Amino acid sequence: AIIAAESGHIVGKEGGAIEATGHKIIAEPGVDGKLTPEIIQLAFDRSSEFDYQPKPKMVFISNTTEIGTLYTRSELAAVAAICKKLKLLLFLDGARLGAALTSSKNDVTWNDVYNLTDIFWIGGTKNGALLGEAVVIKDPSLGADFPYHMKQRGALLAKGRVLGIQFDTLFQDDLFFRLARDSNSAAAEMFSSLVKMGFKLWAATESNQVFVIFPPALVQELREDFDFFIWEHLHDGSLVIRLVTSWATEHSQVQRFCRVVKKWMKRS
């Protein structure tokens, strides 16, 4: 079984892929989208009370998290320590690792990610690549059958060099980080403008995701010109929307979005 935060990507955004392979996800409420040693210990203990309960073998975290927050180095080290104590593998989903490592709030390094996890991947798809992630498996014994499982699950590309060429390019001339910084910069501009207009954030903006609370009428108008997710329906009828900026987001697009919001406010 895999211990993950309730907001974790594998919990509700992968069509039950983990369960489809015969494994159980033990979903726990996170703190700002993150797991803590206390949460992991509690989940482990709860699943160890009886012999026939799902047996945790791995902890799944992501950086950035599904709500755009970051693990600090001390938080990541604490999670790694509890995993080592409980003999659990630590897997870090790095689909947005570029955004995490270039955030102004970040104090985690490449070496920290490598040294404190057992498996992680470097996200290319969300950071300028056409497709693909670079999976890093530290223990050769864990990766021995990885190509076999990729083939069995339909994930092995016939022309795998396409992936390598992309990452070879991304890691030249600081391109990987420059693209990530651009996405974070666009998000910072967006959240700053929305806060100045008086809107409240549902989660702290630490990377390239902005979670803002809007009235339904504004959301409806914005959907005519922009694509975004409705993340949560609040009790007062307000909506939490998730705005994600990317390496390709231009500041003119951010400004256009904010102009539409301002025009709606004047009419309301």
Side-chain angles (χ1 to χ4, degrees):
I2 303 170
I3 299 172
E6 286 180 340
S7 59
H9 193 79
I10 62 171
V11 176
K13 302 293 192 305
E14 290 292 348
I18 303 301
E19 290 86 352
T21 61
H23 300 284
K24 169 73 174 176
I25 297 177
I26 302 172
E28 297 290 335
V31 178
D32 296 328
K34 296 179 280 189
L35 291 178
T36 66
E38 295 76 16
I39 293 172
I40 295 168
Q41 183 73 63
L42 182 63
F44 184 88
D45 292 343
R46 193 187 304 119
S47 294
S48 304
E49 294 177 355
F50 304 102
D51 292 338
Y52 47 78
Q53 288 181 288
K55 300 183 183 300
K57 292 297 181 182
M58 177 180 283
V59 168
F60 171 94
I61 63 174
S62 56
N63 202 28
T64 66
T65 69
E66 198 72 2
I67 62 171
T69 51
L70 309 177
Y71 279 89
T72 65
R73 190 192 184 285
S74 62
E75 290 172 336
L76 184 58
V79 168
I82 192 67
C83 287
K84 185 175 182 179
K85 172 188 172 185
L86 300 176
K87 297 181 180 180
L88 300 172
L89 295 171
L90 178 56
F91 176 93
L92 186 144
D93 176 348
R96 295 186 175 86
L97 189 56
L101 295 179
T102 56
S103 169
S104 61
K105 307 289 185 182
N106 176 63
D107 65 351
V108 174
T109 66
W110 278 120
N111 285 340
D112 293 330
V113 174
Y114 181 84
N115 291 327
L116 295 173
T117 66
D118 295 291
I119 305 170
F120 69 96
W121 68 50
I122 304 166
T125 305
K126 291 181 170 63
N127 202 50
L130 175 65
L131 53 90
E133 326 296 321
V135 182
V136 180
I137 304 173
K138 287 165 55 177
D139 186 343
S141 66
L142 289 176
D145 293 324
F146 188 62
Y148 167 81
H149 289 295
M150 287 180 64
K151 183 67 173 179
Q152 190 179 62
R153 302 298 174 184
L156 186 65
L157 294 179
K159 294 181 174 61
R161 65 182 180 275
V162 172
L163 296 175
I165 291 169
Q166 292 179 98
F167 280 97
D168 182 56
T169 301
L170 282 171
F171 290 139
Q172 293 182 30
D173 301 321
D174 201 39
L175 179 60
F176 182 80
F177 288 124
R178 283 193 285 115
L179 294 175
R181 279 191 288 267
D182 285 346
S183 67
N184 287 344
S185 176
E189 180 182 355
M190 179 172 288
F191 100 79
S192 177
S193 296
L194 293 174
V195 168
K196 287 178 181 177
M197 290 183 224
F199 292 102
K200 294 182 179 179
L201 299 179
W202 181 77
T205 301
E206 298 181 349
S207 56
N208 68 324
Q209 299 182 68
V210 179
F211 291 81
V212 62
I213 301 172
F214 278 164
L218 174 55
V219 171
Q220 183 176 354
E221 182 163 328
L222 287 168
R223 276 189 149 180
E224 295 177 5
D225 296 299
F226 303 94
D227 291 325
F228 52 82
F229 289 116
I230 294 178
W231 192 258
E232 191 164 327
H233 295 257
L234 302 182
H235 294 302
D236 64 358
S238 299
L239 301 174
V240 176
I241 68 167
R242 179 198 194 203
L243 303 168
V244 183
T245 55
S246 79
W247 59 275
T249 302
E250 298 178 358
H251 288 284
S252 61
Q253 294 172 304
V254 174
Q255 293 165 359
R256 177 170 164 259
F257 181 91
C258 292
R259 282 199 301 270
V260 173
V261 174
K262 285 181 179 179
K263 288 181 180 178
W264 181 88
M265 292 176 66
K266 289 179 181 178
R267 297 196 312 269
S268 300

